Amino acid sequence: MGADTESDILLPQHGGHRQRLRDRARKGGVSALPDYELLELFLFRSIPQRDVKPLAKALLARFGSLPAALSAPLEDMLQVSALDNHGKALKMTADIALDLSLMFEATRRLVADPLRRTTVIASWSALIAYLKVTLAHEPREQFRVLFLDKKHQLIADEVMNYGTVDHAPAYPREIMRRALELSASHIILVHNHPSGDPMPSQGDIEMTKQIVAAGRPLKIGVHDHLIVGREGVASLKQIGAM
């Protein structure tokens, strides 16, 4: 093997920084760390021999927040790079991007767990928390359906369609076919608004009415249609739009 270059070696000052940051996290708790240092700690494991602070800050600058960075599509993460203190390029790789995506997926499953322990209706706040984590920072619209049994317990949460930055198609016939396959008695419609504003458009309202009408003869009830944005979650039922 060839000798390590300067850009591949963790220099003493960088090793000291890593240890100081770990010590501070242990003593004060990770919750006290700013977002870039939390991300930096995680990147230590993915990039063992480089100064990763510039890359952590570049990720936050590119996506705007820690949740948005962790939930970003892998191909978008791969566009991020930074220069370390020696002017050497530090680029995201497929492995690093996957590591960050795994952290996001673990978080998503953590907040989803309460939904499987009781009825979705009884754990509404947990549902809203789960949807915020899952969809608030998605760059494209997703149309999801939560399929519930007669007791309003969750059978499945499935993405029915992906869309663009401002539209995701929803097909009532496909939704009802899937509900029958799963023996669902109720469904909750969910989609996100990448613009950040969760308030429904007239198209959202009309589409909801079509799905409600499609479910009526099959005795499949539409409990609600939730729209998720960075600014919050809107319920069409609560605002009287369905």
Side-chain angles (χ1 to χ4, degrees):
M1 295 179 60
D4 290 331
T5 65
E6 181 182 60
S7 63
D8 293 325
I9 296 173
L10 185 62
L11 298 177
Q13 63 267 33
H14 298 153
H17 168 70
R18 289 188 175 208
Q19 191 57 51
R20 286 191 298 272
L21 183 53
R22 289 187 176 112
D23 290 343
R24 189 149 51 83
R26 292 188 188 100
K27 293 176 182 177
V30 293
S31 62
L33 298 177
D35 286 349
Y36 81 90
E37 288 187 337
L38 190 65
L39 188 53
E40 195 180 350
L41 273 172
F42 196 81
L43 288 172
F44 286 170
R45 300 181 180 277
S46 303
I47 310 173
Q49 296 190 349
R50 300 289 297 276
D51 175 19
V52 298
K53 183 188 293 185
L55 187 59
K57 290 188 172 182
L59 283 163
L60 294 175
R62 166 66 176 80
F63 297 109
S65 68
L66 181 60
L70 297 181
S71 61
L74 295 180
E75 58 270 23
D76 290 349
M77 288 190 197
L78 293 176
Q79 303 304 311
V80 178
S81 63
L83 295 177
D84 65 17
N85 292 335
H86 304 286
K88 302 289 186 179
L90 185 58
K91 298 181 179 180
M92 289 288 291
T93 67
D95 286 344
I96 301 168
L98 178 60
D99 285 346
L100 296 181
S101 294
L102 291 174
M103 182 159 60
F104 171 72
E105 180 59 20
T107 302
R108 193 188 70 82
R109 294 189 187 192
L110 179 67
V111 296
D113 187 62
L115 299 177
R116 304 188 183 278
R117 299 178 181 274
T118 183
T119 68
V120 171
I121 307 306
S123 54
W124 200 252
S125 60
L127 172 63
I128 298 302
Y130 165 70
L131 294 177
K132 285 180 179 178
V133 169
T134 302
L135 288 172
H137 298 281
E138 273 291 319
R140 294 186 301 157
E141 280 202 14
Q142 284 185 23
F143 193 90
R144 305 174 80 102
V145 178
L146 278 63
F147 298 94
L148 313 178
D149 64 15
K150 292 180 179 180
K151 296 181 179 180
H152 290 95
Q153 292 180 319
L154 183 64
I155 299 171
D157 167 21
E158 297 186 357
V159 179
M160 301 300 291
N161 277 297
Y162 290 96
T164 62
V165 294
D166 60 3
H167 176 69
Y171 304 107
R173 184 176 299 178
E174 286 187 11
I175 293 169
M176 292 306 154
R177 177 184 58 79
R178 185 59 178 148
L180 291 171
E181 289 175 351
L182 294 170
S183 300
S185 297
H186 311 274
I187 60 175
I188 297 174
L189 310 174
V190 182
H191 81 278
N192 63 304
H193 281 176
S195 67
D197 182 2
M199 295 308 294
S201 66
Q202 189 58 40
D204 293 333
I205 294 171
E206 292 302 320
M207 175 258 294
T208 304
K209 291 178 178 177
Q210 292 173 16
I211 298 172
V212 170
R216 193 172 292 120
L218 301 174
K219 300 189 183 304
I220 298 173
V222 180
H223 181 75
D224 205 341
H225 184 171
L226 301 173
I227 303 177
V228 183
R230 291 185 301 278
E231 299 171 11
V233 179
S235 160
L236 267 69
K237 182 182 239 181
Q238 288 183 359
I239 65 176
M242 60 174 291

